[in-house]
Amino acid sequence: MRVLIVNTSERAGGAAVAAGRLLEALNNHGVEARMLVRDASGTHPRVDVLPRRWHQWLRFVCERLTIFPFVHFRYSRLFSIDIANTGADITRLPAFRWADVVHLHWVNQGMLSLNDIRRILDTGKPVVWTMHDVWPATALCHLTLDCRRFETQCCHCPLLPGGNGYDLAARVWRRKQRMLAGHHATFVACSEWLAGEAKRSALLAGQTILSIPNPLDTSVYHPLDKTEARHTVGLPLHGNVILFVCQRVDNPNKGMQYLVEACRLLAAQHPDTAETTTVALLGGHADEVAALLPFPVCVLGYVSDERRIVSIYNAADVFVLPSLSENLPNTIMESMACGVPSVAFGVGGITEEIDHGINGYVARYKDAADLANGLHWVLYEADRQALAEACTDKVRRCYSQASVAKRYLTVYENIHRHHHV
């Protein structure tokens, strides 16, 4: 079985990380897999890169220029939607011809156009499409938030102010309908929650929709000695460490404002925590929010070295992710694999990762007071050893390479068999 994984980037972003981990998981468990990307980060022997890089840059710019007028030239909204009007025809590449199964992941921002995806489907090769967000089931958006138009037909998108008398969402919806017409693909959501959203989409009616989580290499992400880990990354050797991880710490969707308020409540209700608690911020722009927190803050910046990231997780006592929207966060999975419980709002697939009161705490949505309760419960009330063991056990059972690779292999074999009947 030869599988070609297709993703825009090799490493940048959560989908790229998940796709790369699946590449390793499959090759480690009996499946011959390669990866095709637009943006490569190194010289991985199993990663192929699209040719003529300047063409890829031009496609990316062309799509953004098309979108810019529809968002009233507001840069803050420029990357909130994708229309897939430009991309690369990969069907003529040697890597594509080599594959028995084509496995799409996050293919936006000029990687594949809707016409390119149609060409892939037209070849008759089995197609699996892993959904890292809801875009394959909507016209434009990656986060639907409170909009439910995709259940019938996307139109008059709330992300497009005014619309200029031209309904871009309705037009792209019709193009996606034509892309899928007469073809069948297997859509795999990374969480049960996202699978449920996909099944409600009128666009994907009649398509196969499954749920399989992202894999994690537990030989890399595993518990280490906490004192040694803190020494390695430069965190205080004594007291409690609350860890927050995000590519951009100031991203409003990641809920930093709720973490700030929760920490203020924790400090006010339990004054002794002020001298024994440190907040560690991993990600870009952390300096901009550090002064808002009532506890000492360690700004760790942006870290790409995986072993250092593992040490950072191990140095923490609790991981917090007050996101307003999530699929199945890699960060919670990584933290749990290191034996560190998480506190988060119960959105998206988070409730599938965190078993409330067993391996972490699920706080009420947008409730900073309950977020503070969760932090206090983990740090001062719960049995930490039991929490740590429950975390690592959950990851081994549900998210290990072997577990996830086995489930994908079953999918590949079934659709390959079906295509050759």
Side-chain angles (χ1 to χ4, degrees):
M1 181 71 65
R2 296 178 296 190
V3 177
L4 179 65
I5 294 172
V6 184
N7 197 73
T8 300
S9 173
E10 181 186 354
R11 295 182 184 174
V17 170
R21 288 174 177 173
L22 180 61
L23 175 71
E24 299 301 325
L26 293 174
N27 281 294
N28 289 340
H29 293 85
V31 179
E32 191 177 356
R34 298 193 65 81
M35 190 171 176
L36 177 65
V37 301
R38 184 194 69 190
D39 304 327
S41 302
T43 55
H44 194 294
R46 293 194 178 96
V47 175
D48 299 302
V49 187
L50 289 180
R52 292 184 292 183
R53 179 162 178 77
W54 71 273
H55 279 200
Q56 320 313 327
W57 179 85
L58 192 62
R59 293 182 181 109
F60 167 79
V61 172
C62 179
E63 183 181 23
R64 293 309 113 185
L65 289 176
T66 304
I67 291 171
F68 214 15
F70 287 96
V71 296
H72 288 195
F73 302 99
R74 293 165 63 180
Y75 184 80
S76 61
R77 290 196 174 185
L78 183 57
F79 294 93
S80 60
I81 65 172
D82 279 291
I83 59 176
N85 64 330
T86 63
D89 179 6
I90 68 171
T91 60
R92 299 178 183 180
L93 298 178
F96 184 90
R97 294 196 297 268
W98 165 87
D100 297 314
V101 175
V102 179
H103 191 156
L104 306 181
H105 282 254
W106 202 88
V107 292
N108 296 114
Q109 297 187 2
M111 177 67 189
L112 297 179
S113 71
L114 299 183
N115 287 336
D116 295 325
I117 297 172
R118 173 76 188 198
R119 290 189 188 97
I120 292 170
L121 293 167
D122 284 343
T123 66
K125 289 198 175 192
V127 173
V128 177
W129 193 343
T130 288
M131 298 176 60
H132 295 278
D133 56 42
V134 78
W135 185 82
T138 70
L140 308 171
C141 70
H142 298 272
L143 299 174
T144 59
L145 299 178
D146 296 325
C147 178
R148 309 304 299 175
R149 289 176 174 84
F150 70 96
E151 295 182 3
T152 51
Q153 178 187 335
C154 287
C155 59
H156 307 300
C157 180
L159 296 175
L160 302 178
N164 299 325
Y166 180 92
D167 196 335
L168 181 64
R171 182 175 177 84
V172 175
W173 178 273
R174 290 192 293 270
R175 289 181 60 216
K176 282 191 171 181
Q177 284 182 315
R178 291 195 294 271
M179 174 188 77
L180 292 171
H183 290 293
H184 186 273
T186 299
F187 290 83
V188 179
C190 297
S191 67
E192 293 287 352
W193 166 79
L194 185 56
E197 293 290 274
K199 289 174 182 177
R200 295 183 184 93
S201 169
L203 186 66
L204 301 187
Q207 302 291 338
T208 299
I209 300 170
L210 308 172
S211 174
I212 301 176
N214 297 324
L216 188 68
D217 188 347
T218 52
S219 70
V220 175
Y221 289 85
H222 58 82
L224 302 172
D225 179 79
K226 194 170 295 294
T227 300
E228 186 176 333
R230 289 190 181 186
H231 180 75
T232 299
V233 301
L235 286 169
L237 299 181
H238 303 289
N240 292 313
V241 174
I242 298 171
L243 176 64
F244 177 86
V245 177
C246 180
Q247 192 168 18
R248 283 183 62 107
V249 173
D250 61 346
N251 181 347
N253 188 58
K254 296 301 180 180
M256 172 53 73
Q257 66 272 33
Y258 294 99
L259 175 57
V260 169
E261 181 60 24
C263 287
R264 288 175 177 172
L265 290 170
L266 188 62
Q269 295 166 4
H270 307 278
D272 55 309
T273 61
E275 297 181 0
T276 60
T277 304
T278 298
V279 177
L281 301 178
L282 175 60
H285 299 264
D287 287 319
E288 300 171 17
V289 300
L292 302 175
L293 289 154
F295 301 130
V297 175
C298 284
V299 175
L300 301 170
Y302 183 80
V303 178
S304 58
D305 180 74
E306 194 168 40
R307 294 194 178 278
R308 185 169 178 82
I309 292 172
V310 172
S311 293
I312 290 171
Y313 279 121
N314 274 278
D317 296 288
V318 61
F319 174 69
V320 60
L321 188 67
S323 294
L324 307 185
S325 178
E326 285 286 356
N327 181 11
L328 194 78
N330 289 329
T331 50
I332 287 181
M333 193 185 302
E334 291 162 358
S335 176
M336 291 175 62
C338 296
V340 178
S342 299
V343 177
F345 292 140
V347 295
I350 286 176
T351 55
E352 298 165 37
E353 292 178 295
I354 302 176
D355 302 309
H356 182 68
I358 298 174
N359 56 34
Y361 190 100
V362 179
R364 291 185 294 271
Y365 187 58
K366 291 185 177 181
D367 189 335
D370 200 28
L371 198 67
N373 291 338
L375 292 172
H376 190 271
W377 179 78
V378 170
L379 295 175
Y380 297 100
E381 301 172 45
D383 182 332
R384 291 203 188 186
Q385 184 61 33
L387 277 179
E389 291 175 359
C391 284
T392 54
D393 178 67
K394 177 69 174 282
V395 172
R396 280 194 299 268
R397 286 187 291 106
C398 301
Y399 309 127
S400 68
Q401 282 193 351
S403 171
V404 174
K406 182 178 179 181
R407 294 176 67 176
Y408 267 117
L409 180 57
T410 299
V411 172
Y412 298 149
E413 289 176 340
N414 286 342
I415 61 173
H416 192 260
R417 189 181 307 114
H418 175 79
H419 273 72
H420 288 80
V421 171

